Every structure is written in structure tokens, then in C-alpha cells.
Amino acid sequence: MSSDCLFCKFVTGELAADIVGESETSLAFRDIAPQAPVHVLVVPKRHVENAAELASSAEELADVVRLAAAVADSEGVAGAYRLVTNTGKDGGQAVFHMHLHLLGGRRMTWPPG
């Protein structure tokens, strides 16, 4: 855990989050500034900065995606959602703890926006 990481504080319970799913190694909670009717963040409980770092653990990476799929199902968007991860400041990453954005509940367009 990183003592100055917002998402680590959600994982430890130091800060409250609107948790919608959890596994042994992952946590899912609602985004505080949703960009879609369903906007959930799914994070590994272990602090890693980005997806490239999480790739060193195929089991944890798979668990994050499995939890995202389970949450999509429980939120009623299974089969019609988007998973996004941002890496680095210029890639749009604002919290430097790897996280997937699970977006659904509306038609996803390309390009985004």
C-alpha cells in the first residue's frame, strides 16, 4: 500500500467509497464524477501504478477484469460496456494506482466524448 494513494485508502477502509464489488485481490467502487450512467472503477488491492506494472501478475490482471465483468452483470450492463485504463499524466491518468473504468448504461461512441 502507498500511504498517500487515494485508492489504497479505499482498499484499506481508511476512506469510504461506494463499493459495488470485491474479490480477494480487487475492489470495485463508483466513480465520484461519472461519465456514464454506470461508471465504476475496478482496482487491484495491491498498489501498482499502471496496467503495465499489473501485467507482471497475470492472476491479478485477470481478477480485475473478472470483477469488472461481474459488476457489469450486477449493474445490468453485461454485454454492453466499455473498459478503459489510462497510463501516465498525458494518457489521462489522474490517480496513479492502476484502475479500470467500467462504463455502461448508454451507447458508447467512437471516438469517445
Side-chain angles (χ1 to χ4, degrees):
M1 294 293 143
S2 174
S3 63
D4 62 340
C5 173
L6 176 64
F7 292 171
C8 285
K9 290 177 181 181
F10 292 162
V11 168
T12 64
E14 183 179 340
L15 291 176
D18 186 359
I19 297 172
V20 296
E22 185 171 7
S23 71
E24 186 176 322
T25 62
S26 303
L27 184 70
F29 50 90
R30 295 196 192 285
D31 193 290
I32 62 168
Q35 302 299 305
V38 174
H39 189 167
V40 172
L41 302 180
V42 186
V43 304
K45 289 182 177 179
R46 179 173 66 94
H47 181 84
V48 293
E49 188 169 303
N50 56 46
E53 285 186 22
L54 188 60
S56 67
S57 173
E59 185 176 307
E60 286 176 295
L61 181 59
D63 189 66
V64 169
V65 174
R66 272 193 301 272
L67 182 56
V71 169
D73 186 49
S74 69
E75 294 287 317
V77 297
Y81 60 91
R82 178 178 285 167
L83 291 178
V84 177
T85 186
N86 303 318
T87 299
K89 182 180 176 186
D90 288 343
Q93 189 174 7
V95 177
F96 291 87
H97 182 126
M98 187 278 176
H99 54 286
L100 290 179
H101 293 261
L102 165 62
L103 301 158
R106 67 170 170 81
R107 189 174 193 304
M108 298 290 126
T109 59
W110 190 257

